[in-house]
Each structure stands twice: as structure tokens, then as C-alpha cells.
Amino acid sequence: MSLNNKKRVFSGVQPSGALHLGNYLGAIKNFINLQDDYDCLYCIVDLHAITVWQNPTDLKNNIFEVASIYLASGINPKKSTIFVQSNVSHHSELAWIFNCITRIGWLNRMTQFKEKAGKNRENVSSGLYTYPNLMASDILLYLTDLVPVGDDQKQHLELTRDIAQKFNNDYSDFGGSNFFPIPDPLILAESSRVMSLRDGTKKMSKSDASAMSRIELKDNNDLIRKKISKAKTDPLPIPDSIEKLEGRPEIKNLLSIFSSLSDTAVDETLREYEGKQFSDFKKDLSDLLISSVSPIREELIKLENDKGYVRDVLDDGRTKAIEKSEVTIKKVRNIIGLG
Ligand code: AQP
């Protein structure tokens, strides 16, 4: 809970590549909606990004670009704290402490590690394995109440809750009892999982080798039209019910993108387009995408010419984040008996 009695929200985006429609609909659009009701911290989680090798020049640019996209999309730095994770060293310090709290068995259950490491398990970074401890540190450092999470992050938030509880128990005789609040997931009804335009069973992702699989927030109008016109479909017409979308992941994805952007239910979209050709639907979807993405792109172009402003926002965010996190880390050191 913050000083103004608003519940605190923490979330972040990795600067690991070009931000896309999935990042926007699944995360950033929701961040904007939360700003008035909560005390929000929106982080650019660069330490998470380096769990997989990043080209240093690209990483620097991507950090700046995520900050610019936050601003261009409508996150207001007067309402929310926008900052870079590595600018606040308390994140790494608390993550180390959590490395010493989390049990190996807990990390072994994390499905995202299994998916990301795949058969290459012995050769991925140990940071990828302990990533959930850093995520717990991001959240608990600010005594966060609520974390907006998609399906993919639910398990990591459960682990954060386990870490908070174990810390509170392990140090209950030393001032740790109930020290960390147990954060709750903020499940947003409208948040959606956007899938690849080339394969409806895979999520739209920054790291997909094909840029045709995603709509990037910097794509120009022609490129958006091209990507949608080439998006995978099938020879059947648009059906009249959600049930009939079963086994047609690409169609389901395009319809849910349309519905998210137009704030309508999928069955309403189906009613409008049932029996119609995909070419008509794709034209309308492109128009809708252009009307959502182009204002962000135009703001981004303005911010590219005003880098000093973005830098100032990040400097201010760093100061505010340090002020808040310093209180927690000092208490944690004291509870544990460090230093
Ligand atoms: N396809 C998606 N649909 C809905 N939400 C998505 N998010 C990511 N992809 C989709 C949400 O965006 C936020 C930030 O994600 P992230 O940058 O921390 O990492 P990620 O989930 O691993 O995103 P990517 O694009 O797939 O990156 P790479 O390829 O680098 O791993 C999160 O809230 C996430 O749920």
C-alpha cells in the first residue's frame, strides 16, 4: 500500500527486441487503465533480458525504446513511476537474498524454464533458471499488492508468494513476521493472449525469427496491411459461433485481436462477419490496427526527437524507485542480520 492509500501495482517489460501487439494488448494497454486507481510502478526489466545474450548496442537502444513506447502509449510519468531495473541495484541485492530463500525443488517446477531451456538445459544461463527469484525481488521490493499477470506468469507469481511467506516465517522471530505482503494476481478480464500471425498455436513474440509473425508497434501502415494480408488463415468461411473456432487457432487469433482492439466480445465480431470472406475481414482488421498503432508510432517519432525528455523521465523514475526500495532493503538487511 502506498502513502496515498492506493494499492501498489508493479509490472515490467523486457527490452529484448521490438515490442509488438501482444505486449501492447497483453500488458501496456492494461497498464494505462490502472494508472488512476493504483500507485503503479512500470519497469523496463533489462536484468531479465540478459538471461539470454543480448547485443549490448541493441540492448541500450531497446531500453530507451521500451521507455518511449510506455510514454507514447499513454503511461503518464506524473501518475506512474517509469524506471529501468538495473538503475536500482536493490533489485539484484534482494534477488541474491531470495536465491538463498528459494528451494531448488521450487525452481525445478517452473514450466517457463523448461520451455525456454528445452533440450539445451545444460547450456542455458543460470540466470534463466533463477529468473523467478529476480521477478520476486522486483515485486516484493516495493511491497507490491497487485501484479497484472498473463497466463504465462501465474506460476512465477505463485512462487513469489511462496518466497514472501518463507521469508516471513524464517525470520518471524527477528522482525520478519508479516514483513512482505503476499501479492495477489490482478487478472484482467480483457487481457488477451495474442498468437503468432504465422502459427496460431505459438504466442506472438519478440524473439520469433520471422517479423511477419508479429505486428510491431513501429510498423508503418503499409507493413501492417502486408502482414495482415499474409496472416495464415484456412479455406473455410468465418463461422457463426465461438465453438466452431475450435481447431482453427489462426482464425480464432485474428478474431480475438479484432475484438480486443474494438472492445467488443468475440461472439459479436462473429455475428458481424459470419459467412464473409477473409479478404473483407482482413481489410477491416488492418484499418482497426492502423487506427490503434499509428498514433503510438507518431508519438514515438516525436519522442525520438526529444530524447532529453525520455532521459528525464527515467532519471526521475530512478529517484522515486530508489526512495521506495531503499526503505525495504534496509529493513531486510536488518532483519537478516547483514552488514
Ligand atoms: N503474445 C502475447 N500476448 C499477450 N501478452 C503478451 N506479452 C508478451 N507476449 C504476449 C506480455 O507482455 C508483457 C511483457 O513481456 P516480456 O517482454 O516481459 O516478455 P515475454 O512475455 O517473454 O514477451 P515476448 O515478446 O515473448 O519476448 P521474448 O520473445 O523476448 O521472450 C508480459 O506481461 C507478457 O505477458
Side-chain angles (χ1 to χ4, degrees), residues 102-166:
T102 308
R103 305 293 93 181
I104 293 274
W106 299 0
L107 290 177
N108 284 343
R109 285 197 285 276
M110 295 297 113
T111 52
Q112 196 184 75
F113 175 75
K114 289 179 197 159
E115 281 161 20
K116 288 206 168 178
K119 293 196 178 85
N120 201 21
R121 219 183 146 114
E122 296 294 311
N123 249 329
V124 295
S125 76
S126 52
L128 194 67
Y129 183 65
T130 55
Y131 176 114
N133 294 342
L134 179 59
M135 178 169 156
S137 141
D138 300 335
I139 295 167
L140 297 175
L141 196 49
Y142 300 96
L143 308 181
T144 300
D145 301 290
L146 295 163
V147 185
V149 281
D151 281 349
D152 56 335
Q153 290 302 331
K154 275 191 196 145
Q155 199 188 24
H156 288 164
L157 186 64
E158 274 304 315
L159 187 84
T160 298
R161 290 164 60 87
D162 290 343
I163 292 172
Q165 251 145 5
K166 182 160 166 53

Side-chain angles (χ1 to χ4, degrees), residues 274-293:
E274 74 158 286
K276 290 196 181 155
Q277 297 293 322
F278 277 110
S279 52
D280 294 335
F281 171 73
K282 281 182 163 183
K283 186 186 168 305
D284 292 352
L285 177 58
S286 300
D287 289 343
L288 193 55
L289 271 165
I290 288 169
S291 69
S292 306
V293 171

Side-chain angles (χ1 to χ4, degrees), residues 79-90:
K79 295 181 185 168
S80 305
T81 305
I82 301 174
F83 71 106
V84 181
Q85 186 185 30
S86 65
N87 283 181
V88 183
S89 57
H90 304 146

Side-chain angles (χ1 to χ4, degrees), residues 11-28 31 45 48-49 52 54 70 112 116 131 148-153 191-196 202-208 214:
S11 199
V13 172
Q14 295 187 61
S16 48
L19 262 59
H20 51 75
L21 188 69
N23 299 125
Y24 179 69
L25 290 177
I28 298 170
F31 294 176
V45 287
H48 282 287
V52 175
Q54 306 288 326
Y70 277 172
Q112 196 184 75
K116 288 206 168 178
Y131 176 114
V149 281
D151 281 349
D152 56 335
Q153 290 302 331
S191 86
S192 49
R193 179 121 303 243
V194 181
M195 310 309 278
S196 157
K202 272 170 53 187
K203 78 165 189 161
M204 187 176 281
S205 165
K206 300 184 206 96
S207 51
D208 194 310
R214 59 184 170 258

